[in-house]
Amino acid sequence: MVTAAYVHIPFCEHICHYCDFNKVFLKNQPVDEYIKALLKEMKRAMKDTPASSLKTVYIGGGTPTALTAVQLNTLLKGMKEVLPLNNIEEYTIEVNPDSIQEEKLAVIKENGVNRLSIGVQTFNESLLKEIGRTHTKSSVEDAIRRSRQAGFTNISLDLMFGLPGQHPVQFIETINEAINLNIEHISAYSLKVEEKTVFYNRQRQGKLTLPPEEDEVIMYEQLLKRTKEAELFQYEISNFAKKGYESKHNLVYWNNEEYYGFGAGAHGYVNGIRYQNHGPIPKYLKAIEQGALPTLHSHKVSPVERIEEAMFMGLRKREGVNIDHFEQRYGRSLLDSFAPQIELLKERGLVVIHDGAIQLTEEGLLLGNEVFEQFIAVLES
């Protein structure tokens, strides 16, 4: 049963140097037409593969708050008409500190959104310029103040470390700034230089200087230390929350559960099929205009692939992969299926069996990718 939906808004007022998500400059784009097409896609999906009740919705981008208040209202009201949102538990929208005004916050709040994810990345002014962000430390503080005044009690900040020229002290200062704002949730990710980004081109030209690996390790260890002291509990490799404020939507992904993906370039997972929509907006709009779902390609996930996904996504959670739940869901023993891999990882001190689950150790958190690859392409179909 599908209980979650991701909605993609590809428009940005400025393109960040590290971003490889499907996005376009906002100026001269057919935004109103896109919103209409998005609602048509949702309506068709509900007809083809209906859901009785969505528990979580996440609107990401791009920059959703690049839309005007009127456009946001059209989108959110339209979603209430075509999606089963009466019992929604967590409704998130991504927010850019530069584009979140009182009028937009009021529209978002009135339409049932109850969680904001604010893209901060760093509080260091020079690093913000280096990564192509246009906001400032004070604009973040102002965005949070206005969000609180609008009635939002569940706010997450996105942070990044391992940025070009970043020193561990700078990241520690950013962590402290975030904690001092008394927000409910922090997501903190290490920079990955992806193709089709400004940073990728600079790296190819030898013009991108990244921190040494040992500095990244220090940054991550300080992240764990400071969030723990502030009672923001780590529930996933890169995510920290006050008790009860863990992201329910992201847990859908890490628990290998199904979800709709709506919008240009969006990914979804419904009825055992993973799919991706057309990314270019003209192709997305054309597919909708022709009366079809805008699917670019799809893949039926095999039983073995489901198991592999369950392991490398589930192990991201601090609670790990529950052994009994695994057998109930997939009809086979976790310990028998991966006996050699688990034994090897235990010997290396990267995983433990605790509370009926396989979990990463503190060392395993630092070497997560080495753990995950042990569970890929080792089972027979």
Side-chain angles (χ1 to χ4, degrees):
M1 180 187 301
V2 184
T3 60
Y6 172 78
V7 181
H8 192 69
I9 306 298
F11 308 110
C12 288
E13 295 167 299
H14 186 80
I15 304 298
C16 301
H17 296 169
Y18 54 84
C19 180
D20 72 327
F21 294 128
N22 188 47
K23 76 281 182 186
V24 294
F25 282 113
L26 177 66
K27 189 176 181 180
N28 298 324
Q29 292 295 329
V31 180
D32 294 331
E33 186 180 353
Y34 180 82
I35 292 172
K36 291 177 183 177
L38 194 52
L39 295 172
K40 286 181 181 178
E41 181 193 0
M42 294 175 187
K43 191 171 183 179
R44 288 173 191 165
M46 290 301 102
K47 182 178 179 181
D48 289 355
T49 53
S52 59
S53 180
L54 293 182
K55 301 299 183 184
T56 72
V57 171
Y58 191 104
I59 303 176
T63 310
T65 50
L67 304 184
T68 66
V70 171
Q71 289 167 339
L72 280 169
N73 192 51
T74 299
L75 171 64
L76 297 173
K77 281 190 178 300
M79 287 173 59
K80 285 195 289 187
E81 292 174 3
V82 298
L83 298 179
L85 302 181
N86 290 338
N87 298 313
I88 195 161
E89 297 174 3
E90 181 185 274
Y91 196 164
T92 304
I93 190 168
E94 289 182 354
V95 170
N96 187 320
D98 282 348
S99 59
I100 189 63
Q101 302 141 358
E102 281 84 355
E103 186 180 7
K104 293 182 185 180
L105 283 168
V107 166
I108 291 168
K109 183 69 175 175
E110 287 167 5
N111 282 285
V113 175
N114 57 20
R115 183 176 184 269
L116 303 180
S117 178
I118 303 178
V120 175
Q121 317 318 341
T122 177
F123 284 97
N124 183 281
E125 303 285 350
S126 63
L127 285 175
L128 283 169
K129 293 177 182 177
E130 174 66 23
I131 65 177
R133 299 290 285 180
T134 57
H135 69 263
T136 62
K137 173 186 171 183
S138 61
S139 63
V140 173
E141 294 170 344
D142 190 48
I144 292 174
R145 177 185 58 78
R146 283 182 276 124
S147 299
R148 294 299 193 199
Q149 289 175 344
F152 288 96
T153 59
N154 190 353
I155 297 176
S156 177
L157 300 187
D158 283 351
L159 307 178
M160 296 181 72
F161 60 96
L163 299 173
Q166 188 179 37
H167 188 275
V169 170
Q170 294 172 315
F171 184 59
I172 293 168
E173 289 172 349
T174 281
I175 300 168
N176 290 337
E177 292 278 2
I179 289 171
N180 289 340
L181 290 169
N182 194 31
I183 40 76
E184 287 72 35
H185 188 282
I186 290 176
S187 296
Y189 295 94
S190 171
L191 172 69
K192 296 292 185 293
V193 179
E194 306 285 359
E195 291 187 21
K196 301 179 182 178
T197 65
V198 172
F199 279 167
Y200 179 76
N201 292 331
R202 286 185 186 174
Q203 189 175 62
R204 292 184 64 190
Q205 297 165 6
K207 298 179 180 179
L208 189 72
T209 303
L210 298 175
E213 186 176 338
E214 54 267 30
D215 278 4
E216 278 205 49
V217 171
I218 291 170
M219 293 182 208
Y220 185 66
E221 290 176 338
Q222 286 297 311
L223 172 67
L224 302 186
K225 178 176 181 293
R226 289 294 295 117
T227 50
K228 184 176 182 179
E229 291 171 349
E231 296 189 346
L232 287 164
F233 298 99
Q234 184 182 29
Y235 67 100
E236 190 267 350
I237 287 179
S238 302
N239 286 270
F240 310 81
K242 293 180 179 180
K243 290 294 186 182
Y245 289 91
E246 300 85 354
S247 172
K248 295 179 180 179
H249 184 82
N250 284 341
L251 283 167
V252 169
Y253 303 146
W254 300 321
N255 288 329
N256 203 24
E257 297 170 358
E258 296 191 344
Y259 59 96
Y260 299 103
F262 299 123
H267 293 252
Y269 182 27
V270 176
N271 288 342
I273 297 174
R274 291 196 180 274
Y275 64 90
Q276 180 183 1
N277 284 348
H278 285 286
I281 292 175
K283 289 188 177 181
Y284 173 83
L285 295 177
K286 184 177 180 180
I288 297 296
E289 182 183 344
Q290 293 175 340
L293 286 170
T295 307
L296 171 63
H297 56 73
S298 60
H299 169 69
K300 179 71 173 178
V301 180
S302 71
V304 166
E305 287 173 323
R306 289 182 67 218
I307 290 171
E308 291 173 348
E309 291 173 352
M311 292 304 296
F312 66 73
M313 289 194 291
L315 280 169
R316 293 187 62 90
K317 300 178 298 177
R318 287 315 314 267
E319 69 179 25
V321 180
N322 184 281
I323 295 169
D324 288 339
H325 293 171
F326 180 95
E327 184 166 358
Q328 292 167 11
R329 186 171 181 182
Y330 301 107
R332 61 196 298 174
S333 166
L334 190 161
L335 298 180
D336 291 343
S337 298
F338 297 105
Q341 292 75 26
I342 293 170
E343 191 58 35
L344 173 65
L345 293 169
K346 285 172 62 179
E347 289 175 2
R348 293 183 59 193
L350 301 181
V351 303
V352 293
I353 297 178
H354 178 69
D355 284 345
I358 297 180
Q359 303 172 347
L360 293 180
T361 62
E362 297 297 319
E363 183 71 15
L365 289 172
L366 299 173
L367 300 172
N369 288 336
E370 293 186 25
V371 175
F372 305 150
E373 68 185 16
Q374 290 293 322
F375 298 97
I376 299 174
V378 295
L379 297 180
E380 295 183 3
S381 299

